[in-house]
Every structure is written in structure tokens, then in C-alpha cells.
Amino acid sequence: MCATAEVINVEGKRVDFKVPASDGIEEIGSGTYQRVVIDLRSSSECLKNEELLTQRSA
């Protein structure tokens, strides 16, 4: 079985992929997949702040 991913669109931080899958003879399926690029540092800080707020209100 083989699957590859091809970037088909980039819009800001969003990346769209086309993903066909093959059994070695013919295509057995395909689909699209979307991911969003994030800044780990700022996301981690936001999660920590949210966790602190949740702990204070509990």
C-alpha cells in the first residue's frame, strides 16, 4: 500500500493536501487533509495561562 501527500493550497497559516492511496496496482482511495501551522511558543503560553485561570476559578 502506498500513499503520498501533495500540497494543493496554502492560504495564510492553512495548508491543504491531496492524498491518494494505492494498493500498488491501482488507486484505492483519495481524500484531502487540512493542517494549520501554529507557533508552539505562543500556543504553549496561552495554554498555560488558560490552565492557571481554570485552577483559580475551581
Side-chain angles (χ1 to χ4, degrees):
M1 184 144 141
C2 177
T4 59
E6 173 188 357
V7 175
I8 56 173
N9 188 41
V10 177
E11 195 171 310
K13 292 183 175 187
R14 192 181 76 204
V15 183
D16 298 322
F17 299 89
K18 176 181 175 185
V19 186
S22 166
D23 64 2
I25 298 171
E26 63 184 352
E27 186 175 287
I28 57 172
S30 66
T32 57
Y33 191 67
Q34 185 179 88
R35 300 301 290 172
V36 176
V37 178
I38 62 168
D39 178 356
L40 286 176
R41 186 174 297 153
S42 65
S43 293
S44 293
E45 289 176 20
C46 285
L47 289 172
K48 285 178 188 176
N49 290 337
E50 190 172 308
E51 185 177 302
L52 288 173
L53 290 173
T54 303
Q55 289 173 355
R56 288 180 185 165
S57 64

